[in-house]
Amino acid sequence: MRPYLITAKPGRLHRAAVWLRVWALRLLALTVMTVLGALVFSVRCARPLINYVATRAAWLELWAASVTGIGPIGAAVGSGLTDEFVREFHKARTGAPA
């Protein structure tokens, strides 16, 4: 119990509104945490499937390259993207103030 003055004591309506606000906020926080947990869980469960599909796509590209005679462009594009990412990451890491 809080030590209010007799004249400053909040009414029942005010206390009910505060209680409702507190529990609504708790429920909202629980909902957000549950949704984020479900999202992380689903991504972690799908990871082996994503790896399998990526491996199959790479093999399919190599097969198509051998059949058509056109070189695999996915590797060249992927390595270019990787190099660009490394450059940006290095620039951000070394240029950030400590």
Side-chain angles (χ1 to χ4, degrees):
M1 207 61 194
R2 293 191 169 94
Y4 292 108
L5 295 173
I6 294 173
T7 56
K9 186 174 180 180
R12 282 187 179 172
L13 191 59
H14 183 266
R15 285 184 292 177
V18 168
W19 181 87
L20 186 64
R21 185 183 68 209
V22 166
W23 279 100
L25 189 60
R26 288 178 181 170
L27 185 62
L28 177 67
L30 181 65
T31 304
V32 168
M33 287 187 286
T34 303
V35 168
L36 287 176
L39 181 68
V40 168
F41 182 72
S42 63
V43 167
R44 284 182 175 255
C45 288
R47 193 170 179 188
L49 180 66
I50 292 169
N51 288 342
Y52 176 77
V53 169
T55 304
R56 287 289 146 213
W59 279 108
L60 180 64
E61 183 188 17
L62 290 176
W63 172 80
S66 69
V67 169
T68 62
I70 301 171
I73 59 169
V77 171
S79 66
L81 288 175
T82 303
D83 292 342
E84 184 63 29
F85 177 76
V86 168
R87 269 195 301 278
E88 285 295 320
F89 177 74
H90 182 69
K91 189 184 338 178
R93 188 172 52 88
T94 57

